[in-house]
Amino acid sequence: ADLMGEASGEGLRVAYQGCPGAYSEAAAKKAYPSCETVPCEYFETAFQAVEKWAADRAVLPLENSLGGSIHRNYDLLLRHRLHIVGEVRLAVRHCLLANRGVKIENLRSAMSHPQALAQCEQTLTQLGIEHREAVDDTAGAAKQIAEENLQDTAAVASSLAAQLYGLDILAENIQV
């Protein structure tokens, strides 16, 4: 879709919440394929980036077909002087990611955003991964797994996060 006449996003800086490889970054690239993405630690930070002209746009989730409304972002829309200028629909396909050579049977734990863990609960249980650790974002979990070279913990994140952080994809489409 042509969002405000800037379909390619050439020259636009687009803020999103999360680390590189986050689903929100994928949504930003889908909306504005040629944009420069600006990772922000929190939703609030992405709103502030636009207000302070550090970014031209922000792409943030408002609805999740599996998890419902993202109430925090509705609240932030009311508190900030920003407007919705378009909609992006993105199919979220969670993957189970681990460091090279790690096998599913060696996993004791999975880490990800709480929403992603909830969406993948059934698959994780079936795989025998009982311990779950909630972190701020899916791509951040993948980054942590890679940086700490964890051998008994997997991340639930995107295939792009696997590529960016050098992780193996042990299972795909693990969401319910």
Side-chain angles (χ1 to χ4, degrees), residues 62-76:
L62 291 175
E63 296 292 330
N64 181 306
S65 62
L66 294 174
S69 297
I70 314 297
H71 298 289
R72 177 78 179 128
N73 286 338
Y74 281 109
D75 292 342
L76 289 168

Side-chain angles (χ1 to χ4, degrees), residues 45-65:
T45 313
F47 275 85
Q48 291 171 349
V50 177
E51 285 185 331
K52 294 178 180 179
W53 298 99
D56 303 295
R57 302 272 190 281
V59 173
L60 300 162
L62 291 175
E63 296 292 330
N64 181 306
S65 62

